Amino acid sequence: ASAVASSNSGEPMEGTSGSLNPTTDTSGIMPEFDPKTMRSSKPGLKRLFITTSVLFSFLLGVPFLWKSVEIYRSPLPFHDIDSLSDQIESTPLRFPCNFHAVFVGFRSTDADNLRSQIQDGINQLTHLSPQCGSCSFSLSVTIQNPAEQCSETLGHNPSSCSYRCGMIKSNDFGVGLDDTVDESLNDVFSGCSANSRKMYSVVVVNKENANGEDEVKAVVGKRRHAWIVGSGLEERNDDMVSRVSEIFVKMFMNGGRDEDSIHGEFMPVGSDGRIVLSFSLLNSNPRDWVYDWDFQRIDDALLAPVTKALAPIANISVESQVLYHTPKSSFSSWDEQLQSYIFRTSDLPFFVNSNEWHLDTSAGASGRSKILQFVVYIPSGSECPLLLQLPNGEISKTNGFISPMWGGVIVWNPGNCDKDSESPIRNTISPQDIEQIVEIFLGQFRQLFGFKSEAIYTSVLGTYKILPSERGFTEWELDVLSRKHTCFNLHSCSTTLSSLSKLVRSLPRMIIKDEIGEQVKYSLKAAKLAQSNASLGGYSSSASSSREARSLAENAFFHPSIMSVSYFSYEHCFAVYSPFFLPVVAHVVLAALREWKRYRQEKAKYLTWLTRKKTA
């Protein structure tokens, strides 16, 4: 105590700077106290507690902050998506087709031999390479001799149907009776198309009394039947076998196309399964004449059967409009010999005037629907009549042309090219002209789907007459469309879902809503249903299911939530929130570290004092 008192008295001794003289007697005196290295009281925890409490409050808020910025991801069935993709790639989808060949008026009884020859011919034409949308066929052959006795061999398919001997008479195949023969054959084989399995038949009729004519007539009906009629056909057995095989493959399997398949990417169907048929009547110069049409009658009487027939493949809507002051972009030249204005095929790319023809007026079509434009162009009086000249110099019979994936154009010339008076009256296109125009449009529509517009199919073996259907497409053509379109839809669905799966896996911060997950699940369900219906031979149901599967997959991939926030990385999250929290958190952490360091220093001083006091 005396040492502390002398130090604080303000009278330090020489050379000691206020410290005790080492020669002084320190017995019974307290040890020297250095305020820089010692303290006599225990350091308090109040400041440390406050700073650590603030720090822990921030740490406790981290889970809530992490939860608030958490990205919700609906679970997607990645395994099912990969399984569907592998199945479509490894196993091409094939449809069951039942083929039945009936030979009437043949004396041969070796049906097994004929069946083997026809099957070999089919295999040669299909190259034994199964393609998606092709037929897994079962072949049956029946030989009916002139006495109406039959020998028959059925296919291995349990659904193969036996032909009732004597139902087909050679006298039924007369001249001008094609429609009647088609309906009668449909009645004969009507019981063979049960359980949604399609029966395709080819009847070869050997007529003895053909008046010595060697002509062979081959007709493909609008149902699922074809027939070949002629004399001496049994002597030309190999030729008949080749023609029967050709009808089965070229017509019933491929739809009369030279290619093996209809490429789905060129089908005029939107990804949502919709088609909008937009019909436009263009009056090039209304000062010369003005024409209108009764489109409601056209839609009800002529277009409704077509849209109904294609309902399993696409949801088709129809609209119409009449436009005025719509000149074409190309030029025409006068031909003295034809006494008309001529435009050539080289002018077709410049015919459509996109600046003046305001055709895209559909408000009901969404961005993924397919709009097909069908235009009736009425030329002005200064270039009437206007005819299309083909490359071979002939004049086009239809006076129209198509643009793939866009639509078609018909140039319609009024009956009298004399201009009307100063105030032209409104004329209406006659019903006869309307029927001709719609017939041309249906031919163009068929071409857009990959079929031929004419009712004749010519091959190396001969010519086949095709009976036209009032619905625009025959039943066997609709079957081809259903098979090919189902195949393309499933492939597109698989590709879209696989792309979505890869995108979601590569971006862990992508938002996946429940709606997207449900669309993916329903798309997979519809795809499996389409495959199941296809294996059972349900062409229409498989086409409808596959269309739904593709539409749902597209909806999931182009969902607005994915398109708006497709990527939200951790770096982006840090960059957004660090300006708000990093300055405050940094100060709190530094304050806590500083207070902890101060507390340790003060506690060390106190321990030093206790040690010095104990030794003293």
Side-chain angles (χ1 to χ4, degrees), residues 13-27 32:
M13 299 182 67
E14 183 181 356
T16 62
S17 300
S19 60
L20 295 176
N21 192 338
T23 61
T24 305
D25 186 10
T26 58
S27 58
E32 179 183 1

Side-chain angles (χ1 to χ4, degrees), residues 74-322:
S74 176
L76 297 182
F78 297 111
H79 176 73
D80 293 340
I81 294 175
D82 296 338
S83 176
L84 176 65
S85 178
D86 295 339
Q87 183 179 5
I88 291 178
E89 292 295 334
S90 61
T91 308
L93 184 65
R94 305 184 69 187
F95 292 75
C97 302
N98 296 329
F99 295 156
H100 200 141
V102 180
F103 294 83
V104 179
F106 284 70
R107 293 181 174 82
S108 173
T109 58
D110 194 355
D112 292 330
N113 184 36
L114 268 179
R115 179 179 179 275
S116 177
Q117 294 179 23
I118 296 174
Q119 190 158 6
D120 291 341
I122 294 176
N123 292 334
Q124 290 178 3
L125 292 174
T126 56
H127 307 294
L128 291 176
S129 56
Q131 295 182 349
C132 186
S134 61
C135 279
S136 175
F137 67 92
S138 172
L139 177 63
S140 302
V141 174
T142 301
I143 301 178
Q144 178 178 307
N145 61 22
E148 296 187 356
Q149 296 176 346
C150 296
S151 61
E152 185 177 46
T153 175
L154 298 178
H156 301 293
N157 196 316
S159 64
S160 298
C161 182
S162 176
Y163 163 73
R164 289 186 294 173
C165 191
M167 292 293 294
I168 299 177
K169 311 289 185 181
S170 60
N171 295 330
D172 296 338
F173 297 84
V175 179
L177 300 176
D178 292 338
D179 290 331
T180 304
V181 171
D182 191 31
E183 293 299 329
S184 64
L185 290 180
N186 188 62
D187 294 337
V188 170
F189 294 101
S190 59
C192 298
S193 298
N195 300 324
S196 301
R197 295 185 178 271
K198 309 302 181 184
M199 168 66 73
Y200 302 92
S201 67
V202 177
V203 180
V204 182
V205 181
N206 183 26
K207 301 188 74 171
E208 299 294 343
N209 52 348
N211 299 326
E213 297 180 359
D214 197 29
E215 181 183 0
V216 177
K217 177 183 178 182
V219 181
V220 182
K222 55 188 176 183
R223 300 288 188 173
R224 297 182 178 91
H225 315 289
W227 56 94
I228 303 173
V229 182
S231 62
L233 301 185
E234 191 166 9
E235 289 75 16
R236 292 178 284 178
N237 181 71
D238 294 340
D239 185 28
M240 291 302 102
V241 167
S242 300
R243 299 196 73 168
V244 170
S245 303
E246 186 176 56
I247 292 176
F248 280 141
V249 176
K250 296 293 185 179
M251 308 302 290
F252 293 150
M253 291 178 63
N254 295 336
R257 290 173 52 95
D258 295 331
E259 297 82 4
D260 289 337
S261 64
I262 298 175
H263 298 287
E265 60 269 23
F266 298 112
M267 271 194 174
V269 181
S271 59
D272 59 350
R274 292 189 59 199
I275 301 177
V276 178
L277 302 182
S278 179
F279 292 85
S280 302
L281 178 62
L282 306 187
N283 291 273
S284 176
N285 190 353
R287 295 185 182 90
D288 298 333
W289 40 62
V290 176
Y291 278 89
D292 201 349
W293 55 8
D294 185 6
F295 192 82
Q296 187 63 41
R297 176 183 174 276
I298 299 174
D299 188 13
D300 295 339
L302 303 177
L303 297 179
V306 180
T307 58
K308 183 178 180 180
L310 294 175
I313 299 171
N315 181 14
I316 302 178
S317 58
V318 181
E319 62 181 17
S320 68
Q321 61 181 345
V322 179

Side-chain angles (χ1 to χ4, degrees), residues 224-440:
R224 297 182 178 91
H225 315 289
W227 56 94
I228 303 173
V229 182
S231 62
L233 301 185
E234 191 166 9
E235 289 75 16
R236 292 178 284 178
N237 181 71
D238 294 340
D239 185 28
M240 291 302 102
V241 167
S242 300
R243 299 196 73 168
V244 170
S245 303
E246 186 176 56
I247 292 176
F248 280 141
V249 176
K250 296 293 185 179
M251 308 302 290
F252 293 150
M253 291 178 63
N254 295 336
R257 290 173 52 95
D258 295 331
E259 297 82 4
D260 289 337
S261 64
I262 298 175
H263 298 287
E265 60 269 23
F266 298 112
M267 271 194 174
V269 181
S271 59
D272 59 350
R274 292 189 59 199
I275 301 177
V276 178
L277 302 182
S278 179
F279 292 85
S280 302
L281 178 62
L282 306 187
N283 291 273
S284 176
N285 190 353
R287 295 185 182 90
D288 298 333
W289 40 62
V290 176
Y291 278 89
D292 201 349
W293 55 8
D294 185 6
F295 192 82
Q296 187 63 41
R297 176 183 174 276
I298 299 174
D299 188 13
D300 295 339
L302 303 177
L303 297 179
V306 180
T307 58
K308 183 178 180 180
L310 294 175
I313 299 171
N315 181 14
I316 302 178
S317 58
V318 181
E319 62 181 17
S320 68
Q321 61 181 345
V322 179
L323 301 179
Y324 306 94
H325 300 284
T326 54
K328 59 183 177 63
S329 298
S330 61
F331 297 98
S332 59
S333 58
W334 175 258
D335 189 289
E336 286 290 343
Q337 183 179 359
L338 297 174
Q339 289 295 303
S340 62
Y341 289 89
I342 299 298
F343 70 103
R344 298 171 176 82
T345 54
S346 58
D347 302 324
L348 297 184
F350 313 100
F351 191 93
V352 177
N353 189 347
S354 58
N355 294 326
E356 301 292 341
W357 297 10
H358 303 290
L359 303 178
D360 296 331
T361 59
S362 176
S366 62
R368 293 188 290 115
S369 298
K370 184 62 183 178
I371 302 178
L372 294 180
Q373 306 288 349
F374 292 98
V375 175
V376 178
Y377 177 80
I378 302 178
S380 62
S382 60
E383 55 178 3
C384 180
L386 182 63
L387 303 179
L388 172 60
Q389 189 176 45
L390 302 177
N392 58 6
E394 297 181 359
I395 299 300
S396 173
K397 296 180 181 179
T398 62
N399 210 29
F401 61 93
I402 68 168
S403 177
M405 303 302 292
W406 182 84
V409 177
I410 297 176
V411 178
W412 184 78
N413 297 295
N416 185 5
C417 284
D418 295 334
K419 299 181 182 180
D420 290 346
S421 60
E422 294 296 331
S423 299
I425 62 174
R426 182 177 294 273
N427 304 298
T428 302
I429 301 178
S430 64
Q432 294 79 11
D433 292 335
I434 285 293
E435 291 183 2
Q436 294 179 0
I437 291 173
V438 173
E439 184 179 351
I440 297 174

